[in-house]
Amino acid sequence: MTSQTKRFNITVIDTTGGGGDTALETAFAALSSGTWGTFTFGNSFNPDPTGVGDTMMSYTQRAVYDPVRKKIQFVGGTHGGGASANRHFLATYDAAANTWATPVVVPGGSQTFEHTYYNAAVDSVTGYVYVRHAFSDFGNLHVFNENTRAWISNVAGPGFGTNYGIALQYHAARDRLMWGHYWGVSERPSGGSWASITTANRIGDQGPVCAYSAKDSCVYMGGGGGEGAGQLWKINASGVMTSVATGPSLGVWDAGSGGSTSALFGSGNPSNRLLSIAKDRTIREYDEVGNSWSGTIDTAPAGLSPGVNP
């Protein structure tokens, strides 16, 4: 799949508790701290499942790991190619079987391209995958039930939204879905209603980033462009939102690429810190106690995209 990894947000999966139950966990467990490795999936999938002459790798959105079901939910989309309206697709990797399922079309969306970043999230309690389009139908979330492998009823957004991006993230400590935008942040329990956390602390439009960190049980979101750009925030387990240091590049809007200049990665392992990977592949970690970012702790291998437009 080397030729298919452009703009693929890589989620690092913690192996604590797994003990090598799957081939992927075994591969991660074999790595020494601070080292990189290569994992070969048990199969590949057709990145152009509808045969439009373009692939879901053209504008990949996000890969999110479900630690309960041990599955990666990867959302990507076509971008300006093909004979029909382009689509988002959802591809699921089952770590227990070490196989990818055939990608399925995300319902809705009618524009010539539907690119977004960080507009997909997984509720690890219910197994629901939430996906939002960018340029049409952007006020709704399309919901995929991993347990039945079927799309179910849409979830309306919290009443605000626009094209390009929001920050969509499941908050494990609060068991709620977070929707961050330049009009503020709202949250929703599964099956419940949206409630506003703030309308004062705004999340930048057009390419914001977000992640959950089990180390301090917080959702982090920010970056992007437009109103609210250049800031990073965190929401703790009590729903309190506070400002976070942005570091050298995390809150910087890159007009050339249409997004933040760094990708943001959390972890389900309480011992692991939040990471940012910049456009130049440099990696930094966040000290939640000192509210500060480290210098460069490593550089990702050449050819590896951090999920930021090159």
Side-chain angles (χ1 to χ4, degrees):
M1 293 182 62
T2 303
S3 62
Q4 303 174 3
T5 55
K6 187 176 181 181
R7 303 188 183 98
F8 193 113
N9 275 6
I10 294 176
T11 301
V12 178
I13 303 167
D14 90 80
T15 58
T16 57
D21 293 339
T22 69
L24 188 58
E25 288 177 335
T26 299
F28 273 107
L31 291 175
S32 300
S33 178
T35 63
W36 293 85
T38 300
F39 178 76
T40 302
F41 296 113
N43 70 326
S44 59
F45 59 84
N46 179 8
D48 182 15
T50 54
V52 298
D54 197 357
T55 83
M56 64 182 291
M57 303 295 179
S58 293
Y59 233 111
T60 64
Q61 198 203 100
R62 197 180 193 190
V64 186
Y65 184 62
D66 180 343
V68 175
R69 291 154 193 84
K70 297 187 177 181
K71 294 184 178 182
I72 297 174
Q73 303 289 0
F74 166 49
V75 178
T78 51
H79 188 258
S84 62
N86 294 325
R87 298 296 186 205
H88 273 139
F89 299 91
L90 172 67
T92 303
Y93 171 73
D94 185 338
N98 191 21
T99 57
W100 287 94
T102 300
V104 295
V105 177
V106 180
S110 61
Q111 297 297 317
T112 54
F113 49 89
E114 287 290 354
H115 62 72
T116 51
Y117 299 122
Y118 295 91
N119 280 225
V122 173
D123 182 332
S124 57
V125 174
T126 62
Y128 291 175
V129 184
Y130 295 89
V131 183
R132 175 187 174 272
H133 292 293
F135 284 92
S136 64
D137 193 24
F138 50 72
N140 293 311
L141 296 175
H142 296 274
V143 188
F144 185 78
N145 186 344
E146 174 56 38
N147 305 298
T148 60
R149 296 290 300 164
W151 295 98
I152 57 178
S153 300
N154 294 350
V155 170
F160 54 80
T162 186
N163 60 3
Y164 286 101
I166 62 169
L168 189 67
Q169 179 66 47
Y170 174 66
H171 198 313
R174 290 184 62 73
D175 189 22
R176 286 170 170 82
L177 190 65
M178 300 280 168
W179 174 304
H181 193 248
Y182 67 76
W183 286 345
V185 178
S186 294
E187 64 177 4
R188 178 185 181 271
S190 180
S193 301
W194 292 101
S196 175
I197 289 180
T198 180
T199 57
N201 303 334
R202 305 187 177 197
I203 308 301
D205 194 6
Q206 301 186 10
V209 296
C210 55
Y212 176 76
S213 174
K215 188 169 180 60
D216 58 359
S217 301
C218 290
V219 159
Y220 290 77
M221 56 177 58
E227 189 169 355
Q231 300 180 74
L232 185 64
W233 305 89
K234 67 178 179 181
I235 303 106
N236 67 14
S238 299
V240 177
M241 188 172 182
T242 54
S243 179
V244 174
T246 59
S249 61
L250 193 61
V252 178
W253 168 251
D254 181 12
S257 68
S260 294
T261 56
S262 290
L264 191 65
F265 296 86
S267 173
N269 186 337
S271 65
N272 293 341
R273 285 180 167 173
L274 194 75
L275 297 178
S276 72
I277 304 182
K279 195 172 178 179
D280 61 4
R281 308 192 322 277
T282 55
I283 302 172
R284 294 174 172 84
E285 64 179 4
Y286 176 69
D287 178 358
E288 73 286 348
V289 176
N291 185 28
S292 62
W293 288 89
S294 70
T296 299
I297 61 171
D298 199 1
T299 301
L304 178 64
S305 169
V308 182
N309 272 350

